[in-house]
Amino acid sequence: MAAALDAEGLRATACGRLAWLALPDDPADAAPTLRRGLALATVPVVIAVAGPRPAAFEPILAMVDLALAVLPADASEPLRALALASLPGTGHILGPLPPGPPRWAALAGLTRLRSLPEAP
């Protein structure tokens, strides 16, 4: 997948079984690049937004089937409710994986995150 994205002029790299698409820093420029990458994808796609969601991404994120928020176990109930209410599609809140081999394997695309629900 990374090679196919790269062949279409998008900056992508492979890591294990994952293809990572590099987006421009400016969300207004990143949104069209993300849309182009999604149109070219022939495999399931995961979009990770670390930090506040840029407004330019909202129309794209509104199309997702499943949305996850990762919050620490001790996050306050109002924060959890706000996070869940702001998630597009079907939303779930999960805790972060602890550091170590399972987390490294998931980040490298070598296994699924066990904290994620099984795909239907």
Side-chain angles (χ1 to χ4, degrees):
M1 189 72 243
L5 291 170
D6 198 55
E8 293 293 329
L10 297 172
R11 294 181 312 138
T13 187
C15 181
R17 293 187 295 174
L18 299 178
W20 294 77
L21 175 62
L23 298 176
D25 290 336
D26 182 352
D29 295 334
T33 302
L34 178 55
R35 278 191 193 87
R36 206 165 140 227
L38 290 171
L40 294 168
T42 57
V43 296
V45 174
V46 174
I47 302 169
V49 179
R53 292 194 316 254
F57 282 18
E58 290 300 324
I60 298 166
L61 296 174
M63 299 183 305
V64 303
D65 296 322
L66 174 68
L68 304 172
V70 179
L71 296 173
D74 62 351
S76 69
E77 191 53 41
L79 178 60
R80 297 173 75 78
L82 178 63
L84 195 55
S86 70
L87 291 176
T90 301
H92 297 281
I93 296 177
L94 303 171
L97 282 178
R103 184 180 200 164
W104 304 331
L107 289 171
L110 301 176
T111 184
R112 76 172 181 83
L113 295 171
R114 286 184 176 80
S115 60
L116 295 181
E118 289 285 342

